[in-house]
Amino acid sequence: MDFTAYYFAGKSLNNGLSPYENHVLSRWDLWDGVNMFKHSRFLYPPLIANLFQPLASLPYIKAKYIWNFFNLFCYLLCFVLLIKIFLFSKDFIKILIAGILTFNFFPFITLLERGQIDCITFLLLLTGLMLLVKSKKYHFTSGFLMGITSLFKLYSLLLLPFFLIRKKFIVVYGYISGMLLIIILTLLICGLDTSYNYLTKEAVRISEYGSSGSNEMAVPVKIIQKFHLISPYSMAIIDGRIYLTESISFNSKASFIKTLEVLQSKASFNLSNTTYSVMVFAFFFILMIVYSKKYKIKDNDFVYWQVILIIILLSSPYTWVMNLVWLTPVAFIMINSFSDLMARKKSLILVTLIVGYLFLSLPDNLLLTEHVPLIKEFFSARYVMSQLLILFSLVIYLKDTETKNDTAIS
């Protein structure tokens, strides 16, 4: 489903058309087989659509294979980087266990199935954070790479407040430089009119509706029915081939904001997702400031930045299960800390971490669970639950590690 949004955004540009419109009314061959609205399902800045133009010049089946293998390659690179970060290079057993956990991670499986873009963002973030904790001389490059991430996932901007309170000013300088490069390239390649239209019109709609929309924005059902196959399964025809729109069905929401949205529907008040997002981020941000000062939590440990990534994922209203590949390093943290936590009888931290990771890794099948009481609720909420469990265990782990280090120094 998701790759078709990128592919047809690029294909629309190749035909001199807007990547933000659904052209099914005039060019049914540019329909992605899923979209039911007059606007497209493409949610990214216009420069991303330009990046997909070369792929969109190929037949869809070839483009799909290339994109899937590219995603897998990016994830393999992330795996290699994590081996280096956690110093597993000389321990085959740890590498084997990490590989089993990493490549059976359900968010990664859903990312491959949907054809999402988060393996690229994860690779950029991971490389940036590795350089950040490695040495101060790499801080500019670290920030620059993470600044480029904002092109794909705007809410990575929430890293900046943490860089500022940690006085990582060179990282901030690098981050802003990366963003400026993106802005300059967007203006040069996409033009001023397209950039202005995205900021003033498309971004506003996307912020409110995402890939969905109001009834007025919908394409007439009779038009869509012409191109849908009569079948018990959702199918689409692209380049003369028949495709299932999804091969696995799953609960996709992983944002704490969506949980608040459900609770709000049962109450009398009505706040926007943006308001909730700001409130949730502010709560965790202040909590981390107070907690870090009280327990002297340092930021030269990768675990600290994994905590920050979880806070960002919880705070964004557009966090989906595919985005949770950002939590892949949790498997390495578990393996790396297992012996130490067992030896010091810190079983609560370890058990909470393992349970949280297992909640993330469990396969899902929405078609089987959506009609089963309690099981349905569990699978609907498990991604938020798992993030909170992992967040809790990692924060306690950070405090415990600092306490242990202080004792050792004494």
Side-chain angles (χ1 to χ4, degrees):
M1 285 188 190
D2 295 345
F3 176 65
T4 56
Y6 312 141
Y7 178 82
F8 282 101
K11 198 166 185 178
S12 294
L13 281 180
N14 288 344
N15 284 271
L17 300 169
S18 170
Y20 298 105
E21 293 179 19
N22 184 358
H23 302 288
V24 67
L25 296 173
S26 56
R27 289 282 304 274
W28 67 268
D29 58 312
L30 295 179
W31 183 50
D32 65 4
V34 179
N35 191 16
M36 302 294 180
F37 294 92
K38 294 172 185 175
H39 52 262
S40 73
R41 293 185 305 114
F42 182 70
L43 309 178
Y44 295 88
L47 187 60
I48 299 289
N50 289 101
L51 294 178
F52 277 94
Q53 280 186 269
L55 267 185
S57 65
L58 300 173
Y60 178 78
I61 188 69
K62 290 184 179 179
K64 175 70 172 172
Y65 275 121
I66 291 170
W67 181 244
N68 273 8
F69 280 112
F70 177 70
N71 264 328
L72 181 59
F73 176 70
C74 288
Y75 201 59
L76 279 166
L77 287 179
C78 292
F79 181 70
V80 172
L81 287 177
L82 285 167
I83 288 172
K84 290 182 176 295
I85 291 168
F86 288 92
L87 307 176
F88 285 4
S89 301
K90 296 180 181 180
D91 195 324
F92 176 75
I93 298 300
K94 284 185 176 180
I95 292 173
L96 181 62
I97 296 169
I100 292 169
L101 293 175
T102 298
F103 292 98
N104 286 282
F105 194 40
F106 191 66
F108 169 63
I109 294 168
T110 61
L111 181 147
L112 270 187
E113 192 274 348
R114 289 294 193 264
Q116 253 289 353
I117 206 167
D118 278 279
C119 276
I120 298 175
T121 64
F122 181 43
L123 180 59
L124 289 169
L125 279 174
L126 193 59
T127 307
L129 292 176
M130 182 184 74
L131 295 174
L132 175 65
V133 299
K134 188 174 183 179
S135 172
K136 285 186 177 180
K137 68 179 181 180
Y138 299 119
H139 277 193
F140 177 83
T141 307
S142 167
F144 187 81
L145 289 171
M146 289 187 277
I148 292 174
T149 306
S150 62
L151 171 65
F152 303 94
K153 294 295 178 185
L154 189 60
Y155 52 80
S156 66
L157 281 166
L158 295 178
L159 283 164
L160 285 175
F162 289 100
F163 293 148
L164 289 170
I165 63 166
R166 287 294 183 165
K167 298 180 180 179
K168 307 289 184 185
F169 300 122
I170 297 176
V171 180
V172 173
Y173 176 49
Y175 195 104
I176 293 171
S177 299
M179 287 191 65
L180 283 174
L181 176 64
I182 290 166
I183 292 168
I184 291 168
L185 287 175
T186 301
L187 291 172
L188 289 175
I189 297 171
C190 306
L192 184 60
D193 290 342
T194 301
S195 304
Y196 181 77
N197 178 68
Y198 173 75
L199 285 174
T200 58
K201 181 184 174 184
E202 307 300 344
V204 175
R205 172 185 56 78
I206 292 166
S207 176
E208 184 174 356
Y209 295 105
S211 59
S212 186
S214 64
N215 291 334
E216 291 75 22
M217 297 175 179
V219 175
V221 177
K222 290 181 180 180
I223 300 291
I224 299 298
Q225 285 175 340
K226 289 181 181 179
F227 308 112
H228 257 309
L229 297 174
I230 300 173
S231 166
Y233 305 100
S234 180
M235 295 184 176
I237 301 175
I238 302 175
D239 293 341
R241 284 177 173 263
I242 300 173
Y243 294 89
L244 284 169
T245 55
E246 61 177 19
S247 58
I248 53 174
S249 185
F250 48 86
N251 293 276
S252 59
K253 294 175 182 177
S255 168
F256 188 54
I257 309 305
K258 295 298 181 184
T259 305
L260 294 175
E261 200 177 61
V262 172
L263 294 174
Q264 177 180 264
S265 66
K266 300 176 182 179
S268 56
F269 55 90
N270 186 23
L271 298 175
S272 68
N273 282 346
T274 303
T275 304
Y276 280 130
S277 185
V278 171
M279 290 169 60
V280 169
F281 179 75
F283 170 77
F284 283 120
F285 182 66
I286 294 168
L287 200 65
M288 282 303 293
I289 292 175
V290 174
Y291 193 85
S292 297
K293 285 185 177 180
K294 183 177 180 180
Y295 295 105
K296 299 178 182 178
I297 304 295
K298 296 181 177 66
D299 54 34
N300 59 347
D301 189 335
F302 186 86
V303 177
Y304 173 83
W305 295 106
Q306 179 66 79
V307 168
I308 304 310
L309 291 183
I310 297 171
I311 290 172
I312 292 171
L313 289 168
L314 285 169
S315 303
S316 167
Y318 298 111
T319 298
W320 310 101
V321 59
M322 295 77 74
N323 308 140
L324 298 185
V325 291
W326 288 15
L327 272 69
T328 303
V330 173
F332 287 78
I333 295 169
M334 284 193 305
I335 297 166
N336 197 48
S337 61
F338 185 86
S339 299
D340 178 55
L341 291 174
M342 288 292 287
R344 293 190 292 115
K345 297 180 181 180
K346 298 292 181 179
S347 56
L348 176 62
I349 298 174
L350 189 59
V351 169
T352 309
L353 194 57
I354 291 171
V355 170
Y357 188 83
L358 287 176
F359 277 4
L360 280 181
S361 299
L362 280 173
D364 191 357
N365 190 325
L366 183 61
L367 299 177
L368 294 178
T369 60
E370 65 177 345
H371 300 299
V372 183
L374 296 180
I375 299 294
K376 172 189 174 182
E377 281 70 24
F378 167 75
F379 276 99
S380 296
R382 70 164 172 141
Y383 296 120
V384 173
M385 287 166 50
S386 62
Q387 288 176 85
L388 291 172
L389 284 171
I390 293 169
L391 180 65
F392 169 78
S393 57
L394 291 185
V395 167
I396 300 299
Y397 173 78
L398 280 172
K399 183 205 79 168
D400 188 70
T401 303
E402 294 304 322
T403 304
K404 185 185 75 168
N405 289 344
D406 289 344
T407 305
I409 291 166
S410 300

